Amino acid sequence: MRPLLIAATSFLCLAWAGAAHAQQVEPPQVVRTVETKQTEPIAAPSPPPPDAVLPEVAPIIEDEEFEKAIPPISAEDDAELDRPLESIADFEKRQAAEAAKGVKPAAEGSAEATVEAQPPQVDGVPVPALADGDTVEVIGDAPISDVELAAPLPPLENFDVEPVQFAEADDDKDNVSVAYTVKVNGLNAADDSTDVDLADLFGDLSALYDGDGKADNAAMIRARLTADGELMHRILASEGYYDAVVDTRIDRSEREEGQQDQQDQQGQRRSITAVIDVKPGKRYTLADIIINAAPTVPPSLIADNFPLAVGEPIVAQRIQGAEAAIALKLPQEGYPFGKVGQRDILLDGATGDGVYTLPVEIGKRSRFGGIETTGDLAFDAEHVEVLARFKRGDLYDSRMVDDLRQALVATGLFATVAAEPQPTGESAGDDTEYVTMLVTQQAGPPRTLAASAGYGTGEGIRLEGSWTHRNLFPPEGALTFRGVLGTQEQGIGATLRRSNAGRRDRTMELVTEVTRSNYDAFNAITGRVGVRVSYDSTPIWQKKFTYAYGAELIATREDDYDFTTGARSYDFYTIFGLTGQVGMDRTDSLLDPTKGFRIASLIQPEGSLAGSFSPYARLRTDVSGYYPVTDSIVVAGRVRVGSILGAARERLAPSRRFYAGGGGSVRGFGYQELGPKDPNNDPIGGRSVAEAAFETRYRFGNFGVVGFVDAGQVYRSSAPTFQNLRFGAGIGARYYTNFGPMRFDIATPIGRKPGEARVSVYVSIGQAF
């Protein structure tokens, strides 16, 4: 019977982490690493201090259950257990003697039979001795095939020693959670050496921080900690720290007196700390930059647009930006088919140097050729040529292609549209070839319904709706029917509009409309036919210079106050006039400017066709400026001056005179309220006008607040005297949308006179100016 040996053994569980491999710069790139391994002596672990407090460990099974599981011991076994053990020296002598005699070692006193040992053979050939010289062994030497097993162990201080996690009894409470805190050590050195706030970047992406310090259990914390350790590796590698060592562990804090009861009431376990220890190591730098590319025109095209330099750290964002700069510049300089290949960085772990290699295919240098279209066409290739800002033979420039693509989108006629270069192989001279621009069209719905609404004190409510077919007369021939319904204005009209008429951004319009107006200044029923050619700004292209010219014929029946009779009476006016307008715009936005200035001048020579022709001219100039005090505060100002030359006020139709007051003029007063008035205190208009406005605009997010002061007056004379100016002041709110700000202003007149409203309200789209 073999002796039964019972021994109590204690284990110390150690975990270690190997040195981290070099991380790849995001996105992944080919990175090869040259490393030099060193062997360090391993220090023996120090025993725990005598006063160390070991954690209490609950027994795995109860003693009673353990005793029941042990089989009964017979008298023979009991005698065998009482026999004293032989010494280790006697045991080794007996084993050696039995091995020399060819006897299989057996326990002392056993009845095991000895077996003569014979050298093993394979096909009759004796097997050679093993590594230690023995031909026969109980367990042979296993071959070492894993390099990591042969590598020396890292120093003891790099071991990650963690306490054993014991299963806890199920908690009957429903909302059981583990509170934790996060601590990052050793990141400051790397953080101070970079242009990026690494701690802030890690905090934004961290799973631990995203959990707000609570988890369902310790396993969830461990999973988050592991993910954050990998995240820290990637962040450091992206800044050139490829040899960084990131260790993670969980520290349990000691309970404070009374904390147990409080946590039990909240359904929580004890708080723990997730610790991330960082050793950044050396930061790799670029020792050499090699760009494999064919010669370009000019020869320094790639070098001049590649911002990396030898000696700077290997930063992922810098490398990606440099490669993007080449990919962007080549198509702008005549290389539409240039491609940037896969980078390769060779790292030397001993020196911290990196050799950067980048292959670039420049493709054939090209010039613009013809234009072709395909797909469901909204218009043909001939009209596409009108939109293009390039002509055949121009050096290829991707910026011109992007501009053409935007112009196609701006027509509003496509569901999808694309413009791409196609090689032709046709030589264009000067070692270049022509490329064809292929425009793929997918026509969209051409009809549009639109509506707008506004309100102003003195103007009342105004609703406007329209129906448009944008391509009824191709190319880009639109027909629009428009209707206005308001408390003081009603009307219908039709407009035939040709966009990009023979030239990019040039518009031709033919307008006919009938309106009925009911204002304090006059009542009128007016018919108008006009033609206009314009070169205006659009939401996509804000032009520095604009112009417009045209002609109109007006037939209107209006009432006016007759000072000779002391009553209002109607008269009929037939007016023919020309229109000319020029503008300069140096602002940064069409609907919401924050800096720059604008100037617009209008001249309208016209005359009455009733009886003898009576010519006169209407002149008006508007100037506005914008200055950003801070990123959120803008100061804006506006001045308007107008004059009518060549006719007395009484010979002018009331609708052709100048008025002031209202949301687009002087806020705080009713619409057309300022200026000369009749005995009934109704405005009668004048031959000149002067206005000014000053605003301070404060924006926060999508909202804004505006404080403003306006001033203005209308005069009988043909030139403004700038006397008796009236002032209005108020405050406004703005809500900024993707198509412009929504405006809500409240204003009051300064020095209010009898009959003037205390408060005026204005609601519309866009800034006041």
Side-chain angles (χ1 to χ4, degrees):
M1 177 68 66
R2 292 178 182 272
L4 178 62
L5 302 178
I6 301 177
T9 309
S10 61
F11 296 89
L12 176 63
C13 298
L14 301 177
W16 68 91
H21 291 287
Q23 296 284 334
Q24 294 180 343
V25 177
E26 301 289 351
Q29 59 181 323
V30 178
V31 178
R32 293 174 292 162
T33 306
V34 179
E35 297 180 349
T36 304
K37 294 186 177 180
Q38 299 178 352
T39 303
E40 299 181 3
I42 301 177
S46 302
D51 56 347
V53 179
L54 299 178
E56 295 182 5
V57 181
I60 298 176
I61 60 175
E62 300 296 335
D63 293 340
E64 206 175 333
E65 184 179 356
F66 177 79
E67 294 291 340
K68 291 181 179 180
I70 297 176
I73 299 176
S74 63
E76 183 180 358
D77 293 334
D78 188 54
E80 193 70 30
L81 291 175
D82 292 338
R83 188 172 59 84
L85 294 175
E86 64 180 334
S87 66
I88 295 177
D90 294 339
F91 175 77
E92 290 177 346
K93 289 180 180 180
R94 181 170 54 82
Q95 292 282 49
E98 291 175 349
K101 295 177 182 180
V103 179
K104 179 180 179 180
E108 184 180 352
S110 65
E112 294 288 335
T114 60
V115 179
E116 183 178 358
Q118 298 293 336
Q121 297 182 357
V122 177
D123 295 333
V125 180
V127 178
L130 298 178
D132 57 2
D134 296 337
T135 58
V136 178
E137 286 191 355
V138 179
I139 299 177
D141 294 337
I144 298 177
S145 59
D146 192 343
V147 179
E148 290 296 329
L149 294 177
L153 293 176
L156 186 62
E157 57 266 23
N158 289 344
F159 284 9
D160 185 11
V161 182
E162 299 182 10
V164 178
Q165 300 288 333
F166 294 96
E168 299 184 9
D170 293 337
D171 199 330
D172 295 335
K173 298 179 180 179
D174 295 333
N175 299 322
V176 177
S177 62
V178 178
Y180 66 88
T181 56
V182 183
K183 186 176 181 181
V184 180
N185 300 322
L187 187 60
N188 291 339
D191 209 346
D192 294 340
S193 65
T194 65
D195 297 331
V196 181
D197 190 340
L198 300 183
D200 185 64
L201 177 61
F202 175 76
D204 291 340
L205 303 176
S206 167
L208 288 169
Y209 283 118
D210 190 55
D212 294 330
K214 290 185 179 181
D216 292 341
N217 48 53
M220 180 177 290
I221 299 176
R222 167 55 61 188
R224 293 176 183 175
L225 185 59
T226 301
D228 278 4
E230 297 174 356
L231 171 65
M232 184 64 75
H233 261 298
R234 294 195 301 271
I235 290 176
L236 291 170
S238 70
E239 291 295 324
Y241 292 99
Y242 292 99
D243 292 339
V245 176
V246 179
D247 295 325
T248 60
R249 69 179 190 274
I250 292 179
D251 288 347
R252 292 182 177 269
S253 59
E254 294 293 334
R255 296 181 185 271
E256 297 181 0
E257 185 177 354
Q259 186 178 7
Q260 175 68 51
D261 296 338
Q262 181 180 0
Q263 289 182 344
D264 288 344
Q265 292 175 3
Q266 295 176 353
Q268 297 180 341
R269 300 173 185 174
R270 60 191 272 189
S271 176
I272 61 179
T273 301
V275 182
I276 300 177
D277 293 321
V278 179
K279 295 180 180 178
K282 65 171 68 70
R283 193 181 193 189
Y284 284 80
T285 58
L286 292 172
D288 194 11
I289 298 176
I290 303 172
I291 299 179
N292 296 324
T296 61
V297 179
S300 61
L301 176 61
I302 294 179
D304 292 344
N305 293 278
F306 193 74
L308 294 183
V310 172
E312 69 175 82
I314 303 177
V315 178
Q317 187 174 9
R318 290 272 300 162
I319 289 177
Q320 293 171 351
E323 294 172 358
I326 295 179
L328 181 66
K329 194 63 178 180
L330 285 174
Q332 293 178 355
E333 298 294 332
Y335 296 93
F337 309 110
K339 294 182 181 179
V340 175
Q342 178 63 48
R343 75 184 74 88
D344 181 85
I345 300 180
L346 178 63
L347 302 178
D348 188 340
T351 63
D353 292 337
V355 178
Y356 174 85
T357 304
L358 181 68
V360 178
E361 297 180 11
I362 63 173
K364 188 68 176 177
R365 193 164 183 251
S366 305
R367 298 183 180 275
F368 287 111
I371 295 178
E372 297 180 359
T373 59
T374 185
D376 183 9
L377 304 185
F379 44 73
D380 56 18
E382 183 178 353
H383 190 64
V384 176
E385 292 180 0
V386 173
L387 299 178
R389 298 188 191 273
F390 55 82
K391 61 182 183 297
R392 180 180 174 86
D394 290 346
L395 188 66
Y396 183 90
D397 189 338
S398 60
R399 291 167 293 188
M400 296 294 99
V401 178
D402 294 338
D403 178 80
L404 174 60
R405 188 180 299 110
Q406 286 183 315
L408 293 168
V409 172
T411 64
L413 298 178
F414 300 102
T416 59
V417 63
E420 297 175 336
Q422 302 293 323
T424 63
E426 179 185 358
S427 175
D430 195 22
D431 197 26
T432 62
E433 67 176 32
Y434 287 112
V435 294
T436 297
M437 291 307 305
L438 179 62
V439 177
T440 304
Q441 305 180 26
Q442 182 64 43
R447 297 170 182 82
T448 300
L449 285 173
S452 63
Y455 172 80
T457 301
E459 298 174 80
I461 299 174
R462 189 177 190 275
L463 305 176
E464 182 174 348
S466 64
W467 175 91
T468 301
H469 191 304
R470 296 188 301 278
N471 204 30
L472 183 62
F473 307 102
E476 295 191 77
L479 177 63
T480 299
F481 291 102
R482 167 178 164 269
V484 176
L485 180 62
T487 55
Q488 295 184 340
E489 181 183 358
Q490 306 84 41
I492 58 173
T495 301
L496 183 61
R497 177 187 179 99
R498 172 79 70 184
S499 301
N500 299 302
R503 177 186 173 184
R504 167 81 172 265
D505 299 332
R506 182 168 62 186
T507 302
M508 298 182 63
E509 288 182 336
L510 178 62
V511 180
T512 178
E513 61 184 7
V514 176
T515 59
R516 178 181 181 275
S517 305
N518 182 17
Y519 299 115
D520 292 339
F522 61 87
N523 295 327
I525 297 178
T526 305
R528 173 177 172 267
V529 176
V531 60
R532 185 174 184 265
V533 178
S534 63
Y535 183 77
D536 294 327
S537 292
T538 67
I540 295 180
W541 291 283
Q542 183 178 350
K543 300 174 179 61
K544 295 180 179 180
F545 295 97
T546 60
Y547 66 83
Y549 58 88
E552 59 184 357
L553 178 64
I554 300 173
T556 178
R557 181 177 182 272
E558 303 178 5
D559 72 332
D560 189 17
Y561 185 83
D562 189 345
F563 283 89
T564 59
T565 62
R568 301 187 73 91
S569 61
Y570 281 90
D571 202 353
F572 189 83
Y573 303 87
T574 304
I575 304 167
F576 176 77
L578 302 177
T579 299
Q581 181 176 334
V582 293
M584 176 187 295
D585 192 340
R586 289 293 188 271
T587 62
D588 60 342
S589 173
L590 187 64
L591 296 177
D592 185 26
T594 60
K595 63 181 178 180
F597 66 92
R598 291 174 180 165
I599 301 175
S601 294
L602 172 70
I603 179 172
Q604 293 177 310
E606 57 188 39
S608 174
L609 298 179
S612 60
F613 184 72
S614 302
Y616 58 91
R618 303 175 77 247
L619 308 174
R620 193 185 71 200
T621 298
D622 292 86
V623 179
S624 59
Y626 312 88
Y627 179 76
V629 179
T630 66
D631 292 339
S632 57
I633 298 177
V634 175
V635 174
R638 175 184 69 89
V639 174
R640 169 179 291 177
V641 177
S643 178
I644 299 177
L645 304 174
R649 186 191 63 185
E650 290 74 15
R651 302 197 62 178
L652 298 171
S655 61
R656 308 305 290 173
R657 302 169 187 170
F658 284 122
Y659 298 89
S665 179
V666 182
R667 288 164 289 185
F669 299 91
Y671 182 64
Q672 300 179 338
E673 188 175 15
L674 295 180
K677 296 184 179 181
D678 63 18
N680 298 320
N681 205 33
D682 291 328
I684 57 177
R687 292 194 298 160
S688 63
V689 62
E691 296 177 359
F694 177 84
E695 287 190 350
T696 300
R697 303 170 181 173
Y698 173 65
R699 177 172 179 174
F700 49 96
N702 290 329
F703 298 91
V705 177
V706 175
F708 57 85
V709 176
D710 294 351
Q713 188 58 275
V714 175
Y715 302 94
R716 293 177 180 271
S717 61
S718 60
T721 63
F722 302 100
Q723 297 178 355
N724 301 320
L725 291 174
R726 298 297 308 278
F727 295 87
I731 190 171
R734 302 289 185 268
Y735 175 68
Y736 294 88
T737 67
N738 57 355
F739 56 85
M742 299 288 294
R743 176 166 67 106
F744 179 85
D745 291 339
I746 300 177
T748 184
I750 298 176
R752 187 175 67 89
K753 296 181 179 180
E756 295 177 347
R758 293 181 180 275
V759 175
S760 297
V761 178
Y762 312 95
V763 180
S764 65
I765 297 176
Q767 298 284 9
F769 57 89

